Amino acid sequence: VTAGLVLTPSTGLLTFENGTMTSLTIALSSPPTGDVTLKLDSSDPSEGTVSPPNVTFTPLNWMAPQVISVTGVDDDRADGNQPYLVVPTIETSADQDYAKLDPPNAEVTNIDDDSPGITLMPTTGLMTREDLTSATFTVVLNSKPSGTVAFDVTSSRPEEGVASPATLQFSEENWNG
């Protein structure tokens, strides 16, 4: 019997940026002659994490599936749904056939919960007056940009009020406040 690893499921796994997790099971396909320890990693820890970091199979429990949790990570970017892998590797093995094994990966997609946009919140009043009373607003981006975002701020009725400053600029550092 050939040494192998069974991941169930191995494709179609979904995690979510809000921290929702999914799981898969992992088992050996044949009895080892000694203990086999697998290290479990994420190909992109900024999108998803894997727990536990290791599982050990013995000649007695080799066919009992062990549950692996995969948790989505929130990245504050509107970057779309991101694929990544659960990557098992043989960390130690007393069985030479398993020691040489290159285990298959499980395919996961982290579902994005960010969207581009701006939020405008009044901080003082909603009206201006001819006595020069002004209205003040806070402006933030809804998600972290991948570069600089700048836009002009204008009044729809400049004879009634002028926007200042005339340009707002956001970066990865100041996008949300």
Side-chain angles (χ1 to χ4, degrees):
V1 180
T2 307
L5 190 66
V6 179
L7 299 169
T8 307
S10 61
T11 62
L13 291 162
L14 299 177
T15 57
F16 297 83
E17 284 192 352
N18 67 5
T20 300
M21 71 174 75
T22 191
S23 63
L24 63 114
T25 61
I26 191 167
L28 301 184
S29 62
S30 64
T33 58
D35 289 359
V36 176
T37 299
L38 295 168
K39 184 175 187 300
L40 301 162
D41 288 306
S42 169
S43 66
D44 187 349
S46 71
E47 291 295 338
T49 60
V50 180
S51 179
N54 315 62
V55 293
T56 299
F57 292 96
T58 69
L60 298 176
N61 78 351
W62 66 273
M63 65 184 338
Q66 296 195 37
V67 177
I68 309 304
S69 296
V70 187
T71 306
V73 174
D74 193 0
D75 61 9
D76 292 329
R77 290 189 189 278
D79 57 355
N81 300 337
Q82 293 295 309
Y84 65 101
L85 302 169
V86 173
V87 181
T89 54
I90 304 296
E91 189 168 63
T92 61
S93 177
D95 182 306
Q96 290 308 306
D97 290 333
Y98 277 100
K100 297 182 287 186
L101 181 67
D102 182 15
N105 300 323
E107 298 174 5
V108 188
T109 301
N110 196 31
I111 306 301
D112 194 10
D113 66 355
D114 301 299
S115 59
I118 60 171
T119 298
L120 181 70
M121 298 289 296
T123 55
T124 63
L126 290 174
M127 298 171 39
T128 59
R129 294 194 305 231
E130 290 183 357
D131 69 358
L132 302 180
T133 301
S134 61
T136 310
F137 297 87
T138 299
V139 180
V140 296
L141 300 183
N142 293 346
S143 62
K144 190 175 197 175
S146 58
T148 300
V149 174
F151 53 88
D152 294 331
V153 181
T154 60
S155 170
S156 63
R157 304 222 16 227
E159 71 278 4
E160 296 295 329
V162 177
S164 177
T167 301
L168 294 176
Q169 187 166 312
F170 297 92
S171 67
E172 291 183 53
E173 291 76 33
N174 74 350
W175 66 276
N176 63 348

